[in-house]
């Protein structure tokens, strides 16, 4: 079950392009697949997947991930795995 939905997202300027349900951007584990930070379906999937992996139960934690992706994760990080690792390493230092 997803921790957050489209309505819960902090930012509202995402693109919501149709994505094939089997697309690696929205299935499986975070890996070398590139994360489009402006594509709502990708961000929503990624946040919910990390919340599941890390056993996060509060929507505020999911929103923290979203805000970290948008405002703190270095722009030169593009793969889901690199972004996941950066968030994990900097969770306690985040201003959110």
């Amino acid at each position: 079950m997803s921790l957050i939905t489209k309505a819960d997202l902090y930012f509202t300027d995402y693109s919501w392009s149709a994505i094939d349900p089997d697309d690696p951007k929205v299935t499986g584990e975070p890996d070398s697949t590139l994360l489009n930070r402006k594509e709502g379906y990708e961000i929503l999937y990624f946040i919910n997947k990390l919340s599941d992996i890390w056993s996060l139960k509060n929507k505020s934690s999911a929103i923290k991930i979203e805000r970290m992706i948008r405002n703190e994760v270095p722009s030169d990080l593009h793969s889901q795995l690199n972004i996941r690792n950066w968030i994990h390493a900097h969770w306690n230092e985040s201003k959110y």
Side-chain angles (χ1 to χ4, degrees), residues 21-88:
D22 293 330
D23 191 304
K25 295 176 182 175
V26 293
T27 61
E29 297 295 317
D31 57 15
S32 62
T33 304
L34 300 183
L35 179 67
N36 180 343
R37 299 178 196 210
K38 291 296 224 165
E39 176 54 54
Y41 290 115
E42 289 183 39
I43 291 294
L44 192 57
Y45 162 77
F46 187 70
I47 292 168
N48 280 316
K49 189 63 178 180
L50 292 186
S51 296
D52 183 49
I53 290 168
W54 295 335
S55 299
L56 302 176
K57 304 295 182 205
N58 298 315
K59 287 185 180 187
S60 61
S61 295
I63 299 305
K64 178 177 179 174
I65 294 171
E66 180 190 14
R67 294 179 79 185
M68 288 179 75
I69 291 168
R70 179 68 67 99
N71 296 319
E72 295 181 330
V73 173
S75 61
D76 63 337
L77 296 181
H78 301 288
S79 77
Q80 292 178 5
L81 185 58
N82 287 341
I83 293 171
R84 171 192 172 174
N85 291 342
W86 190 95
I87 291 170
H88 189 264

